[in-house]
């Protein structure tokens, strides 16, 4: 059951519309209840899922430590000497995928409310999550600027926590429910029209809070209302033409579909429609754009060899297309594809679609 990527492509293909992702996650929950693990596995899972991800301050402490590791020159020294070959294999795999960290977390560097450009037509709550808030804050900044340009006041909701997607994928359903309750409590503090997210995995999880808490009398209806407000940023922006002006971004872009956007949320065309509005930007098709890259939550850590085989197939198709830029809308996919680019020794940046839209707004004539 854990060898499955949980990419949910089978749901797109299934003529009977079987919700296999939900069945898979329920099955993994039963595995964790009834099949004993070694004490080392239990200790590690408890540390990560119960004592790290639910607590933003602990995650930020880890982030600060990693930042010192990168900026002190220690990372360069460790890599140059090949010291990770002497350590547990999984630790080396995690280190190799760590992106260059920003100076501050997104929620630490913005006000509670970011004012949109007039005329303001929407008040949105912004789900910043855990990993992206710390590791890819630049994508959140780009996303917020695009939302501002399109008439949105943005409430950053500093009390929010991890969405619980990784917990669900790992069968930790009770911990996922606790996180869902905390996020519902946090976002109920303000009345917003929409709750925006820019990470495919997070969005898919947030949209299932209604089902996850359907047996909880105190939260069932509130969870359903919460989930109906959740939209991916591309899904939200594509409802109307982008406000201009947009400057030219003369790049050949290969858009790679994140599984939990295209299969779990059925969002396929909207990111392409948005990018197609950018002057000078050319979207180039490539084989198997909807095929999983192998990241699949933490699959690239738990089943690293299989993940790399899947990534190799993806990179063969991308290399054949020869784009200037690879774009995808999920942080795990971005890190996985960046790993593929490095392994193939290609000079192709991997970016979020909102980064390209932000670039177009910045390139617009005054």
């Amino acid at each position: 059951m854990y060898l499955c990527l949980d990419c949910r492509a089978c749901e797109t293909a299934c003529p009977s519309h079987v919700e296999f992702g939900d069945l898979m996650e329920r099955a993994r929950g039963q595995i964790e209840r009834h099949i004993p693990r070694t004490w080392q596995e239990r200790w590690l899972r408890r540390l990560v899922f119960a004592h790290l991800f639910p607590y933003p301050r602990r995650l930020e402490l880890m982030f600060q430590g990693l930042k010192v590791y990168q900026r002190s020159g220690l990372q360069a020294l460790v890599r140059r000497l090949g010291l990770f070959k002497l350590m547990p294999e999984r630790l080396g795999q995690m280190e190799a995928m760590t992106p260059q960290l920003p100076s501050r977390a997104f929620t630490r560097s913005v006000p509670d409310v970011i004012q949109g450009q007039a005329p303001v037509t929407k008040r949105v709550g912004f789900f910043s999550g855990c990993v992206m808030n710390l590791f890819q804050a630049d994508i959140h900044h780009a996303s917020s600027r695009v939302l501002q340009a399109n008439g949105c006041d943005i409430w950053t909701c500093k009390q929010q926590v991890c969405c619980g997607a990784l917990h669900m994928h790992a069968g930790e359903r009770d911990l996922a429910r606790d996180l869902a309750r905390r996020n519902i409590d946090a976002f109920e503090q303000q009345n917003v029209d929409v709750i925006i997210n820019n990470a495919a995995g997070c969005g898919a999880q947030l949209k299932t809070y209604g089902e996850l808490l359907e047996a909880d009398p105190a939260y069932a209806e509130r969870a359903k209302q919460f989930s109906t407000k959740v939209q991916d940023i591309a899904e939200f922006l594509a409802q109307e033409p982008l406000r201009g002006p947009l400057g030219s971004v003369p790049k050949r872009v290969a858009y790679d579909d994140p599984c939990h956007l295209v299969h779990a949320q059925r969002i396929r065309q909207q990111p392409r429609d948005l990018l197609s509005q950018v002057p000078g930007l050319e979207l180039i098709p490539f084989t198997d754009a909807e095929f999983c890259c192998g990241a699949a939550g933490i699959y690239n850590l738990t089943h690293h060899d299989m993940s790399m085989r899947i990534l190799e197939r993806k990179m063969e198709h991308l290399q054949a297309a020869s784009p200037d830029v690879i774009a995808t809308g999920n942080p795990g996919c971005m890190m996985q594809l960046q790993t593929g680019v490095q392994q193939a020794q290609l000079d192709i940046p991997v970016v979020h679609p909102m980064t390209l839209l932000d670039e177009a707004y910045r390139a617009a004539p005054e």
Side-chain angles (χ1 to χ4, degrees), residues 353-364:
M354 291 304 118
T355 301
L356 292 168
L357 291 183
D358 182 50
E359 186 177 344
Y361 277 109
R362 288 167 172 258

Side-chain angles (χ1 to χ4, degrees), residues 1 5 69 146 190 236 307 316 325 336 345 350:
M1 297 301 282
L5 290 156
Y69 167 69
V146 172
Q190 296 282 342
F236 172 74
S307 172
E316 287 175 0
V325 176
Q336 177 83 342
Q345 297 182 329
V350 181

Side-chain angles (χ1 to χ4, degrees), residues 31-168:
I31 288 171
E32 298 311 318
R33 286 189 178 199
H34 299 294
I35 297 181
R37 291 184 176 272
T38 66
W39 71 266
Q40 296 98 327
E41 288 177 312
R42 293 197 304 271
W43 178 85
L44 182 60
R45 289 173 66 90
R46 198 71 190 163
L47 174 66
V48 172
F49 294 123
H51 297 297
L52 182 60
F53 274 95
Y55 298 97
R57 289 184 180 177
R58 295 178 191 177
L59 278 171
E60 193 161 354
L61 281 174
M62 181 190 72
F63 167 76
Q64 296 296 343
L66 284 172
K67 194 165 63 173
V68 170
Y69 167 69
Q70 284 188 345
R71 300 188 181 188
S72 65
L74 184 58
Q75 181 184 53
L77 178 64
V78 166
R79 289 183 173 183
R80 187 164 60 248
L81 297 177
L83 296 181
F84 273 102
K85 295 178 181 178
L86 306 176
M87 299 180 187
E89 185 179 12
R90 190 171 297 180
L91 184 61
Q93 294 162 0
M94 293 173 64
E95 195 278 343
M97 292 184 178
T98 304
Q100 194 64 32
L101 301 181
S103 56
R104 298 182 71 191
F106 172 75
T107 50
R108 293 281 189 182
S109 54
V110 293
D112 288 346
V113 177
I114 304 171
Q115 300 293 332
Q117 295 179 16
V120 173
T121 56
K122 292 283 186 180
R123 178 176 171 83
V124 305
F126 188 80
F127 188 82
S128 53
C130 49
V131 173
M132 285 189 76
N133 183 50
L134 296 168
F135 286 59
Q136 295 164 320
D138 58 321
I139 298 173
H140 282 346
H141 286 295
S143 299
S144 63
R145 287 191 291 266
V146 172
L147 289 170
Q148 282 179 281
N150 285 274
C152 297
D153 280 347
I154 307 161
W155 177 50
T156 55
C157 188
K158 303 294 175 63
Q159 293 76 35
Q160 63 182 286
V161 293
C162 171
C163 68
L166 295 181
H167 298 75
M168 286 289 284

Side-chain angles (χ1 to χ4, degrees), residues 139-353:
I139 298 173
H140 282 346
H141 286 295
S143 299
S144 63
R145 287 191 291 266
V146 172
L147 289 170
Q148 282 179 281
N150 285 274
C152 297
D153 280 347
I154 307 161
W155 177 50
T156 55
C157 188
K158 303 294 175 63
Q159 293 76 35
Q160 63 182 286
V161 293
C162 171
C163 68
L166 295 181
H167 298 75
M168 286 289 284
H169 298 332
E172 299 287 348
R173 295 177 68 85
D174 288 340
L175 290 173
R177 290 188 183 97
D178 290 340
L179 292 168
R181 295 183 186 101
R182 290 171 65 184
N183 278 321
I184 291 166
D185 290 341
F187 277 92
E188 282 181 343
Q189 296 177 39
Q190 296 282 342
N191 184 27
V192 294
D193 301 307
V194 185
I195 298 170
I196 297 291
N197 75 92
N198 58 5
C202 295
Q205 176 68 9
L206 296 171
K207 288 180 178 180
T208 64
Y209 278 6
E211 290 83 4
L212 184 62
L213 296 175
E214 62 186 355
D216 185 332
Y219 279 87
E221 187 58 36
R222 294 160 62 190
K224 192 183 302 181
Q225 292 176 7
F226 175 94
S227 290
T228 58
K229 284 189 174 184
V230 174
Q231 290 187 22
D232 181 79
I233 192 167
E235 176 185 18
F236 172 74
L237 289 170
Q239 293 171 14
E240 297 178 7
L242 292 170
R243 292 188 189 180
L246 295 168
S248 178
V249 180
K251 296 177 180 177
R252 299 174 70 255
V253 178
Y255 175 75
D256 189 64
D257 291 275
C259 293
H260 278 78
L261 198 61
V262 66
H263 300 306
Q265 299 185 63
R266 302 290 194 267
I267 297 172
R268 176 181 288 99
Q269 191 58 37
Q270 294 94 319
R272 293 176 170 85
D273 289 343
L274 291 173
L275 292 174
S276 296
Q277 296 179 52
V278 177
L281 189 151
E282 179 188 359
L283 274 176
I284 57 170
F286 67 97
T287 303
D288 285 343
E290 296 183 6
F291 194 86
C292 184
C293 66
I298 57 172
Y299 191 92
N300 50 10
L301 298 177
T302 58
H303 296 84
H304 184 73
D305 291 343
M306 177 64 76
S307 172
M308 291 300 104
R309 287 166 58 190
I310 294 168
L311 176 60
E312 184 178 350
R313 168 179 166 159
K314 173 72 73 175
M315 295 312 302
E316 287 175 0
H317 295 317
L318 282 167
Q319 194 165 2
S322 189
D324 300 322
V325 176
I326 299 168
T328 191
N330 190 61
C333 299
M334 288 182 65
M335 288 189 278
Q336 177 83 342
L337 290 170
Q338 188 60 55
T339 298
V341 166
Q342 291 169 356
Q343 290 178 346
Q345 297 182 329
L346 301 175
D347 186 21
I348 305 175
V350 181
V351 305
H352 194 283

